[in-house]
Amino acid sequence: MIKVLFVCLGNICRSPMAEFVFKQMVAEKGLSEKFYIDSAATEGFNEMCHAGIHHGTRKKLTEMQISFEEHYSRQIRPRDYVYFDYIIAMDDRNIDDILEIVGPDTERKIYRLLDFTDEPRNIRDPWYTGNFDESYDDISKGCRAFLEYLLKENNDGKRD
Ligand code: 4NP
């Protein structure tokens, strides 16, 4: 079982988009039982408000025919670092904030999503840009590259 946690600032725009894009890619390869995939925030305010997925993310996932369930924002906790194998952030600031919460990345589990692509950089926050199309393009490119990396790393996802 490969356990993946996608993380962004609010856990209502980018990381839930990545969670459901990646779940669909994994399902298309018939590998759903080999993965546990979730998402979380670095900030706690949306958890306190019991905030669900942003309408911009819902609209884009629906347009792209990617199924999603209800998801409520939750803040990453130190125990997530122990439980998950990969903690995948959207930008540098997320990485700094994750490290503050979970402590040093002694097991090298924390990555930035686009670092798996040939264009390593941050994914801009549609909460501020309003551009969910751009977020989707970056997230789907990153998820595709991350899955390819995992399939190579883990001998076609056969790791226990
Ligand atoms: P996300 O975007 O990190 O992609 O989920 C944000 C969502 C909410 C807020 C900030 C960023 N906020 O300040 O509530």
Side-chain angles (χ1 to χ4, degrees):
M1 173 79 82
I2 302 173
K3 296 177 222 125
V4 179
L5 184 67
F6 292 101
V7 178
C8 64
L9 177 62
N11 190 214
I12 62 173
C13 299
R14 291 166 297 172
S15 62
M17 186 184 277
E19 173 186 341
F20 292 110
V21 164
F22 194 66
K23 278 180 174 166
Q24 174 127 333
M25 284 181 186
V26 161
E28 280 167 5
K29 294 220 180 281
L31 295 171
S32 295
E33 319 87 84
K34 296 188 183 294
F35 281 84
Y36 180 76
I37 303 158
D38 194 8
S39 63
T42 56
E43 288 288 345
F45 42 70
N46 284 308
E47 179 173 343
M48 282 193 296
C49 305
H50 198 56
I53 303 171
H54 191 284
H55 63 85
T57 289
R58 293 173 183 275
K59 185 165 170 267
K60 190 66 198 180
L61 290 173
T62 304
E63 180 192 323
M64 300 313 292
Q65 299 185 307
I66 292 170
S67 58
F68 57 96
E69 305 121 39
E70 207 48 83
H71 174 88
Y72 294 98
S73 179
R74 75 164 181 94
Q75 190 176 22
I76 187 171
R77 289 159 173 75
R79 65 171 176 267
D80 289 314
Y81 186 80
V82 179
Y83 182 75
F84 285 93
D85 301 304
Y86 294 92
I87 297 180
I88 308 296
M90 301 297 126
D91 59 38
D92 291 328
R93 180 180 164 194
N94 300 153
I95 294 199
D96 291 343
D97 293 341
I98 293 167
L99 292 171
E100 268 197 27
I101 294 169
V102 307
D105 184 16
T106 51
E107 296 180 59
R108 294 179 134 262
K109 294 181 172 185
I110 304 173
Y111 300 85
R112 206 172 48 158
L113 184 56
L114 285 180
D115 286 346
F116 294 97
T117 72
D118 53 10
E119 201 190 348
R121 58 174 170 78
N122 293 332
I123 295 176
R124 294 205 293 158
D125 194 338
W127 174 264
Y128 301 108
T129 65
N131 191 339
F132 286 83
D133 297 335
E134 173 192 66
S135 309
Y136 176 82
D137 291 345
D138 284 349
I139 283 168
S140 77
K141 184 178 172 192
C143 283
R144 205 170 304 115
F146 176 46
L147 184 54
E148 272 169 28
Y149 165 85
L150 289 177
L151 296 181
K152 273 196 205 114
E153 271 286 290
N154 295 288
N155 190 19
D156 293 335
K158 291 193 184 81
R159 195 174 80 161
D160 290 329

